Amino acid sequence: MYRHILVAIDPSSEAETVIAKAMAQPRSNAARVTLIHVQEPVGYAYGGDIPLDLSEVTESLREQAETQMKKLAQEAGLDSRNCELRFGRPATEIHNFASDNDVDLIVIGSHGRSGLQLLLGSTANSVLHGAPCDVLAVRIGRSD
Ligand code: AMP
């Protein structure tokens, strides 16, 4: 039985499927379920070449992500304190959180925004490699 399940959430419509699968895993009575979303620095998309002040964009994306994550948590019957918003590279932040918080299962979608054409999305792939615990990649069918 799992004691702390970490669910990786991106803003795709697959998030609900991934959360439902996580909630269906065997867990002890006192088990925790945490939703995590990692916001990637906006500048990554531009290779940092364009001298723009992206702090407002970053802030508004953060607010959107937070609102959406809290909504998903509520729908799953989880407290908003079980939402973790981090900043950086998704796989690195997910691994760090998992190691620091005794996570024993990470649940992730087999693809999200960027992985429609791939068997395993790039984030799922990176999370699997070097994970400090079990990883469940929830298969997301094309028709979902
Ligand atoms: P992708 O690699 O974009 O196809 O995403 C595959 C899965 O990785 C998604 O279904 C989510 O479970 C997870 N994921 C993708 N991006 C993030 C992110 N920024 N933060 C947390 N989880 C993510």
Side-chain angles (χ1 to χ4, degrees):
M1 297 236 272
Y2 291 110
R3 292 181 313 276
H4 191 179
I5 300 178
L6 183 63
V7 194
I9 297 301
D10 74 350
S12 72
S13 56
E14 330 294 1
E16 286 168 19
T17 310
V18 178
I19 294 173
K21 231 357 177 325
M23 300 302 284
Q25 298 309 305
R27 56 198 158 108
S28 55
N29 281 341
R32 278 202 286 160
V33 177
T34 303
L35 307 187
I36 187 169
H37 173 70
V38 184
Q39 186 180 353
E40 293 177 76
V42 180
Y44 281 7
Y46 304 101
D49 286 345
I50 303 170
L52 284 177
D53 179 5
L54 295 168
S55 54
E56 275 183 31
V57 181
T58 301
E59 178 57 21
S60 104
L61 286 173
R62 197 191 67 78
E63 279 169 18
Q64 273 178 38
E66 194 167 3
T67 306
Q68 197 192 3
M69 193 159 51
K70 283 186 176 162
K71 185 168 165 270
L72 287 165
Q74 197 183 19
E75 284 166 5
L78 295 169
D79 196 279
S80 60
R81 281 172 301 184
N82 297 87
C83 294
E84 187 70 26
L85 189 60
R86 298 246 166 155
F87 198 72
R89 294 196 183 272
T92 308
E93 293 304 316
I94 290 168
H95 286 164
N96 287 347
F97 182 90
S99 303
D100 294 346
N101 294 278
D102 295 325
V103 167
D104 47 7
L105 176 67
I106 297 170
V107 183
I108 191 157
S110 62
H111 67 68
R113 280 168 308 162
S114 55
L116 277 170
Q117 308 304 323
L118 303 172
L119 189 59
L120 200 59
S122 56
T123 309
N125 213 350
S126 320
V127 168
L128 190 57
H129 289 280
C133 60
D134 291 359
V135 177
L136 173 64
V138 179
R139 187 176 173 280
I140 310 283
R142 271 164 196 263
S143 56
D144 284 347

